[in-house]
Amino acid sequence: MLEIESPASPQTIDLKDYKIPDYYIETVDLHFELGEKQTTVRSRLAISRYSEAKAPPLVLNGEALELLSIQLDGQVLDKKDYQQNPESLTLFQVPERFTLEIETRIYPQDNTTLSGLYTSGGNFCTQCEAEGFRRITYFLDRPDVMARYTTTIVADKKKYPVLLSNGNLVAQGEEDNGHHFAKWQDPFPKPSYLFALVAGDLARIEDEFVTRSGRKVALHMYVQSHNRDKREHAMASLKRAMAWDEQVYGREYDLDIYMIVAVDDFNMGAMENKGLNIFNSKYVLAKPETATDTDYENIEGVIAHEYFHNWSGNRVTCRDWFQLSLKEGFTVFRDQQFSADQGSPAVKRIQDVNHLRTYQFREDAGPMAHPVRPESYVEVNNFYTMTVYEKGAEIVRMLYHLLGPEGFRQGTDLYFDRHDGQAVTTDDFVKALEDANALDLSQFRRWYSQAGTPELRISRAYDAEKSTYTLKIKQTCPPTPGQPHKAPLHIPLAIGLLDSQGEDLPLRLAGETTAVTGTRVLELRQEEEAFVFHDIPCEPAPSLLRSFSAPVKLYLDLRDEERYFLLAHDKDRFNRWEAGQQLAVKIILGLVKDYQQGKPLVLDSAFIETVGRILESDEPDQAFVAHILALPSEHYLAEFMAVIDPDAIHETRCFIRRSLAKALQELFAATYQALTKTGAYRRDPKEMGRRKLRNTCLGYLMELDEPDIRSQCLQQFNHADNMTDVIAALSRLVDIEGPERKIALQTFYDKWQEDSLVIDKWFTLQALSRRQDTLARVQELTHHPAFKLTNPNKVRALIGAFSQGNPARFHDPSGKGYGFLGDYVLKLDPLNPQVAARLVSAFNPWQRYDQNRQELMKAQLERIAKTPQISKDVYEIVSKNLA
């Protein structure tokens, strides 16, 4: 393995080495003097030793801090009493109980990492998860140290009229020299990662929520003044989430005030700090002219996610960072439930599974594969992954399938009641569900400790004489780094069997006296099992893994006619969509082989006819129709190839879209016209579905690249009254060679150049363009005045979109895309290691490509590895790739 240079040979942290802390902090009093060039932080910590039998040194975490003074029980400590290094402060002798006062100086204006306290748009804000609090003051910065916080903030009143922190406001007033102060007190114990502070010149929008017990909660949302008109949807989403959590989980909000602040510079989507959520502005700000329907959906989901954390993450938190999915997986499941209840459950499930299979399955198959509860890490920020979040949510969903809605609710009630105010583990979560339902979930726990995507291989047999239908199921899981062998998992497999009319058959297993009609959940526990269903009058069509009841790959040798039948008749709407996806994958991969062998490409007429019937159907959920018409993504198709050929996938997929557009041009055009709106803009599920299907039709028509269609697309771009339709048109125009492209791009920029979030869309669409010159355009845009390397949204919108969302152009055989990404990883790493690490992960699947591309990607990884003093964030990903 290549020797990788690193600033200090980063230490690997192992779950097996977890120990309870030697000391606890009971209360924290913080005092901030915010300044234009520097900030002074005074902390007063009430500390007690966990055990009376030993007196180990007190080791406090701290990074990028200038230590000014330390006092222990009022006595100033001499330098011989403590030791400093770049990551800690050690006090050699301390009593059993004591008060420690520390004064530090920090420089938020220079903090480009966006971790700890930093400035954004002239405002102060914080991001302390996972380990940012140690950049504010010396502390036991770990999630199992929970304390009650009181925070006083002092700042120039004119420049920073708004001063916010966690909890309830208990005092405020004026000071000398034009300064003022605010004092906040949080009555609930919390870990340091949930601390928050905001100071700035922000506009406040107020509302109110009345809880089911009759308490009035003040809702405050803070945005920059010019964005006041973009907060209505976020506030409405918050109130819906609060009501939903009371109804579905019985959880009521617990403080007098709930605050949300939108900031432009943020490494994440949002942060659930107790009572003071800090959001990336893209997940708060929306109005029809600037935000797409997808933006609205994402805002609703993220607002709900962070609110739901108040219980699943704040009141009950994780013991250590290996348990991150305890809060994140559970809360993702909760926000998915909420979003499904607000619109189409089938469409929401399709979106979530599509995202999981496209990205998390790839993560499971690569060098960064890890269990939902990892065994070790070098940099914890690298484990804010699809596996921890989305696969973690699927684990919770499986528990929901196994226990049923009532049993699951009983289990979560016990979990919240039993562990309120505690820092716990995934085992504690499962134990609560076990105890509430008197079940043994010992085998199920393996889902948290085993990495990789399980595979189910299923064979079937129908015996007409005995009227039985047998499913034989074998489960396996491929080896992953550090886990060559896997034990069988406890897997819920939701199934249905359809008769010749598409109706669900009653399902009865041997030994049962009554049959279950509709969906039935089989519980797989062994490596190989057989399930025999009785009283099956005819050979059925199997509808397996309904609603994607487990995050597995399912292999079942269905005939094409069976897939067409399921697409037309399955009662499970997810499986209707899935049947279409399976057909499309089979057809595309077959044509990929033809393309690689130089054979002419011919699209199956039955597939064309099926697409036509779908377009002509009377299905009322038009968003669902649009999803059925969407071909599998290039990333998802790549997962079916032993050696990924991005050129063949891209060209074949484009050929199929063109073939469908040519064969069904009149139908696409008629559907597009029929879906033209007849009234004022509305944002409800029906109208969103109409826009989605109409723009899907426009996308197919634009494959023909005809002057009249280009003109029609440009007309939609020019005259649409909402950003959804504008972006749909522009996303097609960026691919063409005609003059309409330049006209549209310039028009869009001229109109929206003052709106940073809208310009992010402009960057992204150009980064995703199919054009051969896309890389050159992306390189050019990195020098555009609107691009800012220190802003994560800009980096994700342009460099991230190109390297992770445009496989055909990023994986150009020349390797220029790889060199471009390598350059920017190295430029970003000293500024913001978290964002740099996210970018370098685009190289993770490098060993699955052809020899030429492998060598070119490996060369970039080695180049990064040889760079002196790369961050722990980038070091971990690069080293695992090169291992």
Side-chain angles (χ1 to χ4, degrees):
M1 175 180 164
L2 180 73
E3 187 69 26
I4 298 179
E5 296 189 39
S6 171
S9 299
Q11 177 186 0
T12 297
I13 310 298
D14 293 302
L15 171 60
K16 63 181 175 61
D17 294 334
Y18 171 82
K19 295 189 299 183
I20 60 174
D22 293 321
Y23 295 89
Y24 282 99
I25 301 176
E26 298 167 5
T27 61
V28 180
D29 285 277
L30 296 169
H31 188 280
F32 289 83
E33 294 274 355
L34 303 179
E36 290 300 291
K37 295 183 179 180
Q38 62 190 34
T39 290
T40 302
V41 184
R42 295 199 301 272
S43 65
R44 191 171 190 271
L45 314 177
I47 303 177
S48 59
R49 195 163 65 234
Y50 181 76
S51 171
E52 298 181 12
K54 59 179 182 178
L58 171 64
V59 181
L60 301 176
N61 307 109
E63 294 179 6
L65 301 175
E66 186 178 334
L67 180 62
L68 301 180
S69 68
I70 312 177
Q71 294 185 48
L72 195 155
D73 288 336
Q75 298 296 313
V76 177
L77 296 185
D78 190 84
K79 287 188 177 181
K80 63 179 174 59
D81 299 320
Y82 61 86
Q83 182 179 59
Q84 278 181 278
N85 68 38
E87 295 186 347
S88 66
L89 171 68
T90 301
L91 279 66
F92 300 115
Q93 291 186 337
V94 293
E96 183 181 335
R97 295 178 64 86
F98 59 98
T99 298
L100 189 67
E101 296 175 77
I102 302 175
E103 186 172 0
T104 57
R105 183 180 294 138
I106 56 177
Y107 301 87
Q109 294 83 350
D110 301 327
N111 183 3
T112 61
T113 67
L114 310 186
S115 175
L117 180 66
Y118 64 95
T119 58
S120 171
N123 301 309
F124 286 90
C125 60
T126 55
Q127 171 57 34
C128 293
E129 188 177 357
E131 296 176 339
F133 193 77
R134 64 189 61 186
R135 300 179 66 90
I136 294 173
T137 187
Y138 287 102
F139 203 76
L140 290 173
D141 190 13
R142 47 189 288 173
D144 56 354
V145 174
M146 302 175 71
R148 288 182 170 84
Y149 285 66
T150 301
T151 304
T152 303
I153 311 165
V154 180
D156 185 293
K157 184 175 182 179
K158 186 175 180 180
K159 293 179 179 177
Y160 309 105
V162 173
L163 305 175
L164 309 174
S165 192
N166 310 91
N168 297 315
L169 181 65
V170 295
Q172 57 184 330
E174 307 290 328
E175 292 198 348
D176 297 334
N177 303 321
H179 285 59
H180 70 140
F181 75 91
K183 186 175 184 179
W184 294 82
Q185 198 167 66
D186 189 349
F188 297 98
K190 65 173 180 284
S192 54
Y193 83 85
L194 291 173
F195 173 78
L197 178 152
V198 172
D201 187 2
L202 299 165
R204 184 171 81 191
I205 299 93
E206 299 184 21
D207 209 322
E208 183 180 80
F209 181 81
V210 180
T211 69
R212 61 180 181 174
S213 66
R215 286 191 312 106
K216 292 182 178 180
V217 178
L219 306 180
H220 292 177
M221 192 169 292
Y222 293 87
V223 299
Q224 292 177 313
S225 295
H226 62 274
N227 288 322
R228 291 180 66 98
D229 61 340
K230 298 179 183 177
R231 50 76 190 164
E232 183 179 342
H233 175 64
M235 186 66 83
S237 297
L238 173 60
K239 295 175 76 172
R240 285 194 295 272
M242 295 177 81
W244 185 90
D245 208 20
E246 289 186 349
Q247 177 185 355
V248 177
Y249 281 89
R251 299 297 111 189
E252 185 174 310
Y253 187 63
D254 48 11
L255 290 170
D256 299 332
I257 186 171
Y258 186 88
M259 299 173 285
I260 289 176
V261 179
V263 299
D264 289 338
D265 300 286
F266 206 67
N267 283 336
M268 302 182 180
M271 181 59 210
E272 70 269 18
N273 319 293
K274 182 68 181 180
L276 176 57
N277 289 184
I278 301 178
F279 273 67
N280 188 320
S281 55
K282 71 180 291 185
Y283 293 114
V284 173
L285 306 178
K287 62 179 181 180
E289 296 84 0
T290 62
T292 65
D293 289 339
T294 299
D295 292 330
Y296 273 95
E297 290 174 338
N298 289 341
I299 289 169
E300 182 175 67
V302 175
I303 289 281
H305 180 97
E306 304 309 330
Y307 174 74
F308 297 154
H309 265 313
N310 188 61
W311 278 92
S312 52
N314 295 2
R315 289 284 289 262
V316 184
T317 195
C318 50
R319 185 195 72 179
D320 53 73
W321 292 122
F322 299 101
Q323 319 296 330
L324 180 59
S325 195
L326 175 82
K327 71 183 186 76
E328 295 301 348
F330 185 19
T331 306
V332 169
F333 171 70
R334 276 154 50 75
D335 82 55
Q336 289 176 350
Q337 281 185 299
F338 168 76
S339 294
D341 285 349
Q342 306 310 304
S344 167
V347 168
K348 176 59 178 168
R349 190 65 184 135
I350 288 167
Q351 292 171 336
D352 292 338
V353 173
N354 227 346
H355 194 59
L356 180 87
R357 296 198 302 201
T358 300
Y359 298 105
Q360 194 281 320
F361 278 19
R362 187 200 312 177
E363 191 169 272
D364 256 351
M368 288 295 291
H370 59 276
V372 170
R373 185 187 60 215
E375 296 296 324
S376 65
Y377 62 80
V378 171
E379 172 49 62
V380 67
N381 289 319
N382 287 335
F383 283 95
Y384 283 74
T385 61
M386 291 287 297
T387 298
V388 166
Y389 280 67
E390 274 71 16
K391 187 174 181 179
E394 294 300 316
I395 290 177
V396 178
R397 186 178 295 272
M398 286 189 287
L399 289 165
Y400 183 87
H401 280 296
L402 290 169
L403 303 177
E406 184 177 339
F408 185 77
R409 170 63 189 272
Q410 290 172 352
T412 58
D413 282 351
L414 179 59
Y415 169 70
F416 289 129
D417 294 342
R418 177 183 285 177
H419 297 297
D420 189 10
Q422 298 178 11
V424 298
T425 68
T426 56
D427 283 334
D428 293 319
F429 175 70
V430 177
K431 184 68 165 62
L433 271 62
E434 273 184 326
D435 291 350
N437 291 274
L439 290 176
D440 180 2
L441 294 170
S442 301
Q443 184 181 4
F444 186 87
R445 285 177 170 82
R446 292 174 183 167
W447 277 102
Y448 284 103
S449 59
Q450 290 189 175
T453 303
E455 299 176 352
L456 301 182
R457 285 175 167 76
I458 301 179
S459 61
R460 63 237 168 95
Y462 177 66
D463 188 323
E465 290 186 9
K466 297 180 180 178
S467 296
T468 60
Y469 186 78
T470 302
L471 291 176
K472 291 185 178 179
I473 305 172
K474 181 178 181 180
Q475 63 160 295
T476 58
C477 191
T480 52
Q483 292 187 339
H485 306 292
K486 308 294 174 69
L489 294 166
H490 184 181
I491 303 175
L493 178 66
I495 73 161
L497 300 179
L498 278 61
D499 66 16
S500 58
Q501 302 303 309
E503 298 297 324
D504 282 331
L505 290 166
L507 302 182
R508 182 177 69 84
L509 292 169
E512 296 178 342
T513 57
T514 58
V516 176
T517 301
T519 300
R520 174 167 188 159
V521 177
L522 304 179
E523 297 189 35
L524 312 183
R525 295 176 181 271
Q526 307 300 322
E527 287 186 7
E528 295 188 48
E529 296 179 77
F531 296 87
V532 182
F533 298 94
H534 293 257
D535 306 323
I536 304 298
C538 59
E539 183 170 2
S543 172
L544 307 185
L545 201 62
R546 283 185 158 181
S547 294
F548 202 70
S549 59
V552 301
K553 294 181 180 179
L554 188 146
Y555 297 93
L556 174 66
D557 188 18
L558 285 176
R559 300 182 298 274
D560 284 353
E561 56 267 28
E562 290 178 300
R563 291 192 176 97
Y564 283 119
F565 180 83
L566 292 170
L567 175 58
H569 299 291
D570 202 327
K571 294 294 187 291
D572 185 88
R573 292 162 70 80
F574 173 85
N575 268 17
R576 281 185 61 196
W577 169 81
E578 174 67 349
Q581 291 289 290
Q582 291 175 5
L583 280 166
V585 167
K586 181 180 178 182
I587 290 167
I588 294 171
L589 293 179
L591 291 174
V592 163
K593 289 183 180 179
D594 291 342
Y595 176 89
Q596 291 172 324
Q597 295 170 9
K599 296 179 181 179
L601 303 184
V602 180
L603 183 58
D604 180 19
S605 61
F607 187 71
I608 296 174
E609 292 168 5
T610 298
V611 172
R613 285 195 297 271
I614 292 168
L615 269 173
E616 293 179 307
S617 70
D618 57 359
E619 166 62 53
D621 189 343
Q622 291 170 331
F624 177 65
V625 175
H627 277 288
I628 290 181
L629 293 175
L631 297 180
S633 71
E634 293 179 28
H635 280 307
Y636 183 57
L637 291 164
E639 293 307 301
F640 293 89
M641 300 187 71
V643 178
I644 299 172
D645 187 339
D647 298 326
I649 293 172
H650 178 72
E651 293 301 328
T652 300
R653 193 173 179 276
C654 288
F655 163 77
I656 293 176
R657 286 182 58 84
R658 286 194 300 270
S659 298
L660 289 171
K662 185 175 182 180
L664 302 171
Q665 181 175 358
E666 291 185 5
L667 189 52
F668 278 122
T671 305
Y672 177 82
Q673 292 299 335
L675 293 172
T676 301
K677 74 170 187 174
T678 56
Y681 170 86
R682 298 198 313 277
R683 202 200 65 78
D684 54 51
K686 183 177 180 181
E687 275 296 288
M688 292 167 67
R690 178 193 64 79
R691 283 191 288 272
K692 188 168 187 65
L693 182 54
R694 186 171 188 262
N695 288 322
T696 297
C697 292
L698 176 64
Y700 274 104
L701 290 169
M702 281 293 287
E703 297 289 344
L704 301 174
D705 198 22
E706 295 178 357
D708 289 348
I709 298 174
R710 292 202 306 268
S711 176
Q712 187 177 39
C713 187
L714 186 60
Q715 185 177 6
Q716 174 173 313
F717 170 82
N718 285 326
H719 299 292
D721 64 355
N722 64 87
M723 186 56 73
T724 302
D725 288 341
V726 170
I727 288 295
L730 186 57
S731 68
R732 299 305 167 188
L733 292 169
V734 295
D735 289 335
I736 67 173
E737 298 294 334
E740 296 89 349
R741 173 182 172 274
K742 288 186 178 180
I743 293 170
L745 284 171
Q746 191 61 50
T747 300
F748 190 90
Y749 181 77
D750 290 344
K751 182 174 182 179
W752 297 110
Q753 58 185 299
E754 301 301 324
D755 192 312
S756 180
L757 291 179
V758 177
I759 293 303
D760 287 345
K761 303 179 193 301
W762 185 75
F763 281 128
T764 294
L765 291 182
Q766 294 178 81
L768 297 179
S769 173
R770 297 182 196 168
R771 289 167 56 94
Q772 295 287 342
D773 64 351
T774 294
L775 174 57
R777 178 57 178 159
V778 170
Q779 290 173 318
E780 182 183 333
L781 288 171
T782 60
H783 302 289
H784 193 281
F787 182 78
K788 188 179 178 183
L789 193 60
T790 55
N791 179 266
N793 282 355
K794 292 290 180 288
V795 173
R796 287 187 286 258
L798 184 62
I799 302 170
F802 173 74
S803 59
Q804 297 175 356
N806 195 343
R809 299 298 164 244
F810 174 62
H811 291 288
D812 184 272
S814 69
K816 291 180 179 178
Y818 307 149
F820 168 75
L821 180 61
D823 289 345
Y824 275 91
V825 168
L826 292 175
K827 288 180 181 179
L828 266 167
D829 193 42
L831 300 173
N832 192 324
Q834 286 188 46
V835 176
R838 293 290 185 271
L839 287 183
V840 81
S841 65
F843 289 129
N844 285 353
W846 68 276
Q847 295 187 62
R848 295 193 55 206
Y849 288 82
D850 59 82
Q851 190 65 34
N852 174 62
R853 289 184 170 95
Q854 281 190 36
E855 291 174 359
L856 292 168
M857 281 189 270
K858 184 180 180 184
Q860 291 302 320
L861 288 166
E862 291 178 338
R863 171 193 170 203
I864 295 167
K866 292 175 183 176
T867 302
Q869 295 191 334
I870 59 172
S871 67
K872 290 192 297 182
D873 308 62
V874 171
Y875 163 85
E876 180 171 26
I877 293 176
V878 171
S879 63
K880 287 184 176 180
N881 267 287
L882 291 173

